[in-house]
Amino acid sequence: MAYFDDLRVGDAGIYPGYKGHVLQRRPQRYSLELVASGRMYFEREPEARMLIDYPALRWQSPDYVYHYGPVDDREGWEHYYILLEGERAARLYHEGFVPLVANGCVMPIRRVDVFRRLFITIHDHAMHTGLDCSLAAFHTEELLVQALAELAPPRVFAKYLEHFEGLCADLRKDLRRDVHWQHIAAGMGLSYSHFRRLFTEYAGVPPQQYLLRARLVAAATRLRETTDPIKQIAHDLGLGTPAQFSKSFKAAYRLPPGAYRGAT
């Protein structure tokens, strides 16, 4: 499609637990990258090194040398990237992403699932239908739209914002427990449908999906960092039987738990 001739996807990749130390400059290529979980250091020379231990988008241009890697060589981070070429790629970088944040290259994100899905979609289009695929280019521009949406504060009424912040913190502390969403909604004086809509506005995904994702992120961390049996991990995190855990994990990470552990 001629409309996308000036924006080409040169490469794309997904690494569930990347641990490499990288020093690079990519001539004539721009990259968009997602740190979905884990910890890494990141440095754009000659600027100071920063720690990224939160979900974030970052972007790189041919104008700088970049140095990044794991904070601890025993750990990695969940890494997605796409490499872009062409005149529109340069405009997307300089006029779209760079002005979003004061540091010009790293942006914390709240709705990590939204970005993960987009990176996977771009990767699949690029790898399965050719690197000049117009659909991959289209979704790359959608990444900028979603990044702009991240700058807007959640549209949750102020009186509920603290409730949702506390609720999400409590969920992450005890991921195995059964959660009765209707009871939580009633405790906030809301119907379940109203609660679900507000929660989705706050977190970017519905409550049950948020909880499942938090459980799967915790499971991925244990798969990378421990030798705990898969059955034990599934039990400890409320992810059902090993078969149920494997199905949910593969849907999110594109690998079953055992293969993910082997890849990291």
Side-chain angles (χ1 to χ4, degrees):
M1 186 175 180
Y3 178 77
F4 289 104
D5 283 351
D6 58 350
L7 176 59
R8 298 178 299 278
V9 178
D11 193 11
I14 298 172
Y15 294 92
Y18 193 73
K19 298 178 182 177
H21 292 270
V22 178
L23 180 65
Q24 69 181 186
R25 175 179 174 269
R26 293 190 175 104
Q28 300 181 330
R29 281 185 163 186
Y30 298 84
S31 73
L32 297 175
E33 314 202 8
L34 171 65
V35 181
S37 62
R39 299 193 306 156
M40 66 175 296
Y41 67 83
F42 177 75
E43 179 180 345
R44 183 174 68 174
E45 296 186 353
E47 299 165 10
R49 178 173 294 189
M50 65 176 73
L51 170 67
I52 303 177
D53 57 356
Y54 46 83
L57 283 181
R58 60 183 181 87
W59 40 88
Q60 300 179 190
S61 85
D63 304 324
Y64 295 92
V65 174
Y66 298 87
H67 187 199
Y68 59 86
V71 175
D72 184 328
D73 286 338
R74 295 170 299 179
E75 303 175 8
W77 71 94
E78 185 184 346
H79 181 63
Y80 301 75
Y81 76 88
I82 54 175
L83 299 183
L84 305 174
E85 303 168 350
E87 292 180 10
R88 194 186 307 201
R91 290 191 61 191
L92 197 65
Y93 173 85
H94 290 290
E95 300 176 23
F97 284 96
V98 170
L100 292 179
V101 287
N103 62 42
C105 57
V106 178
M107 176 181 181
I109 58 172
R110 185 178 69 255
R111 301 166 305 137
V112 64
D113 284 321
V114 171
F115 290 95
R116 183 186 281 109
R117 285 195 299 270
L118 274 173
F119 272 87
I120 289 172
T121 298
I122 293 166
H123 173 273
D124 289 351
H125 282 313
M127 295 298 104
H128 296 166
T129 58
L131 293 175
D132 60 347
C133 174
S134 59
L135 281 173
F138 171 81
H139 288 297
T140 299
E141 292 197 330
E142 188 180 352
L143 279 172
L144 176 59
V145 174
Q146 294 299 336
L148 287 165
E150 283 286 313
L151 297 179
R155 294 175 295 172
V156 180
F157 300 120
K159 68 177 181 178
Y160 298 123
L161 190 58
E162 188 174 339
H163 285 279
F164 285 121
E165 289 173 348
L167 172 60
C168 289
D170 289 342
L171 291 174
R172 292 191 296 269
K173 288 177 184 175
D174 184 7
L175 291 169
R176 187 173 182 270
R177 69 186 177 102
D178 292 330
V179 179
H180 302 285
W181 302 109
Q182 289 84 354
H183 293 172
I184 294 172
M188 294 174 62
L190 300 170
S191 66
Y192 174 69
S193 61
H194 192 189
F195 166 83
R196 187 177 187 276
R197 179 176 63 80
L198 290 175
F199 187 98
T200 303
E201 289 182 0
Y202 170 77
V205 291
Q208 190 59 42
Q209 189 175 339
Y210 177 90
L211 178 60
L212 175 61
R213 185 64 218 167
R215 287 169 169 169
L216 291 173
V217 167
T221 299
R222 285 183 60 175
L223 288 167
R224 292 195 304 268
E225 299 178 6
T226 76
T227 58
D228 295 343
I230 289 173
K231 182 177 181 180
Q232 185 65 44
I233 294 173
H235 176 268
D236 291 348
L237 296 173
L239 287 164
T241 66
Q244 291 170 326
F245 172 37
S246 181
K247 181 179 179 180
S248 298
F249 194 90
K250 186 175 181 180
Y253 287 92
R254 303 170 60 79
L255 290 171
Y260 177 92
R261 172 173 271 167
T264 58

